[in-house]
Amino acid sequence: MSAARDETMPGGTTGGTPGILLAHHLKQLKLPTVLREYDKVARECAQSGIDHPRYLLRLVELELIDRERRLVERRIRAARFPAVKSLDTFDFAAIPSLNKMLVLELARCGYILGRENVIALGNSGTGKTHIALALGLAACQKGFSVTFMTAASLVNQLLEARDERRLLRLQRDLALVKLLIIDELGYVPLSAAGAELLFETFSQRYERGSTLVTSNLPFEDWTSVLGSERLTGALLDRLTHHVSILSMNGDSYRLKSSRVRRGRAGDRAEQNQATTNRHDPETGEITPV
Ligand code: ADP
Ligand code: MG
């Protein structure tokens, strides 16, 4: 081999142990799964007489599967869910007012492509946040960007951004996200400035992205949170133009599961047994220990 060729070609390409250079190139190409798996898969393919194109195909497929998984994880982290919940752990029988078919349809995320909205209304403890989290998770899994915030926290962030003169940037970020979830509209009355900024957020997202709102208040009471009749009307006009409404009035699941706990404890006292139940606050599941 000539000296000139040595200067232009990476040394490892021409023989010896290519492992170090290969690792370097694969890192630069951002193919961590190929790097991790190539040796093992090579041995497997050699053993079963699989040719080079199929070996390469297998590696590339592994990289693609892993890349998709990493992207979903990144979207979930970016959404800042307070907890990760899915529809698998949701007991539809506990809330008969909720249209299960509609929820399953929403989990397919067609409404996000159509830039339509979702509103979940109902009293406290009926699973509104659970459903919002589950639909948010489904959206992350289907490839959409998601942001989850309580209404109070969103308004605080908007007011803070305005004071720090970075409101436009925050508003632009909020307008770009494919699904914005605003939880618990109605628990805290908003200041006039806060309500105005919340309205602007809805307005800027109108027909651009989907917004999912949960509230313990029926629409006619939203004025008590937003302060002004005019603003409430304009906000509802935008939010409900293309909307699916999830009606979630019913018994509080929290209360129900703690009643079950107390009930079981009572039974046990009667039977004079010294056992306790474990209550999973995430799923509401109660298991005797
Ligand atoms: P809300 O937001 O309507 O006040 P949450 O979604 O916070 O209610 O529900 C309270 C707790 O009960 C959560 O831990 C939630 O996961 C659980 N929960 C509520 N409804 C159900 C249900 N139908 N099936 C399973 N868990 C539920
Ligand atoms: Mg809630």
Side-chain angles (χ1 to χ4, degrees):
M1 191 193 302
S2 74
R5 188 181 161 93
D6 269 346
E7 276 162 26
T8 51
M9 288 286 288
T13 324
T14 54
T17 48
I20 293 171
L21 257 180
L22 183 57
H24 176 263
H25 295 338
L26 288 173
K27 269 185 202 146
Q28 221 166 23
L29 289 167
K30 299 199 173 18
L31 298 168
T33 310
V34 172
L35 174 57
R36 197 181 63 235
E37 300 291 330
Y38 80 86
D39 202 28
K40 190 181 99 213
V41 180
R43 270 183 274 120
E44 287 166 4
C45 286
Q47 266 169 18
S48 21
I50 288 168
D51 61 17
H52 289 155
R54 285 190 179 77
Y55 164 61
L56 189 57
L57 177 64
R58 206 176 269 193
L59 275 182
V60 169
E61 278 174 351
L62 287 175
E63 186 71 55
L64 278 175
I65 293 167
D66 246 21
R67 183 170 291 184
E68 184 50 36
R69 190 184 45 74
R70 290 194 300 269
L71 276 174
V72 171
E73 280 168 7
R74 201 175 304 157
R75 276 183 224 116
I76 293 172
R77 276 198 303 278
R80 285 189 247 115
F81 297 124
V84 176
K85 295 199 183 188
S86 73
L87 289 181
D88 297 343
T89 57
F90 193 80
D91 174 14
F92 283 92
I95 174 95
S97 76
L98 179 61
N99 182 343
K100 179 177 176 179
M101 295 316 289
L102 177 56
V103 174
L104 297 182
E105 174 63 33
L106 292 172
R108 303 224 297 263
C109 298
Y111 72 102
I112 301 179
L113 289 175
R115 292 136 196 238
E116 294 167 14
N117 300 323
V118 179
I119 306 177
L121 294 178
N123 50 293
S124 180
T126 55
K128 298 182 297 298
T129 300
H130 190 136
I131 290 289
L133 289 167
L135 291 178
L137 181 66
C140 289
Q141 287 164 339
K142 292 249 164 17
F144 298 103
S145 57
V146 179
T147 296
F148 184 105
M149 279 188 232
T150 63
S153 148
L154 170 59
V155 167
N156 280 339
Q157 287 187 38
L158 287 164
L159 287 167
E160 213 173 278
R162 186 198 56 180
D163 293 347
E164 292 168 9
R165 298 181 173 279
R166 49 180 181 80
L167 181 60
L168 285 179
R169 206 169 60 215
L170 177 60
Q171 284 179 327
R172 197 200 51 211
D173 292 348
L174 288 169
L176 283 177
V177 68
K178 292 290 175 200
L179 174 63
L180 178 64
I181 302 178
I182 303 177
D183 197 24
E184 296 186 354
L185 184 77
Y187 281 110
V188 189
L190 305 173
S191 64
E196 191 71 46
L197 286 171
L198 183 68
F199 169 75
E200 271 181 33
T201 302
F202 282 106
S203 206
Q204 287 158 354
R205 291 186 60 72
Y206 177 62
E207 292 190 335
R208 285 206 198 108
S210 294
T211 307
L212 188 163
V213 177
T214 81
S215 179
N216 59 319
L217 296 179
F219 292 132
E220 55 269 27
D221 294 344
W222 282 29
T223 310
S224 66
V225 178
L226 295 159
S228 128
E229 195 94 38
R230 176 194 58 83
L231 200 68
T232 309
L235 188 149
L236 281 176
D237 194 43
R238 283 157 182 75
L239 187 61
T240 60
H241 186 190
H242 311 283
V243 75
S244 298
I245 295 179
L246 300 174
S247 155
M248 299 185 64
N249 275 304
D251 295 339
S252 162
Y253 196 85
R254 285 191 204 97
L255 281 179
K256 228 184 326 191
S257 57
S258 65
R259 235 180 271 139
V260 171
R261 251 192 344 261
R262 280 201 304 274
R264 291 223 185 135
D267 294 347
R268 274 196 314 278
E270 276 170 26
Q271 293 160 13
N272 202 17
Q273 284 181 345
T275 54
T276 51
N277 281 341
R278 196 178 44 197
H279 174 233
D280 184 340
E282 293 295 301
T283 60
E285 200 179 350
I286 293 155
T287 35
V289 184

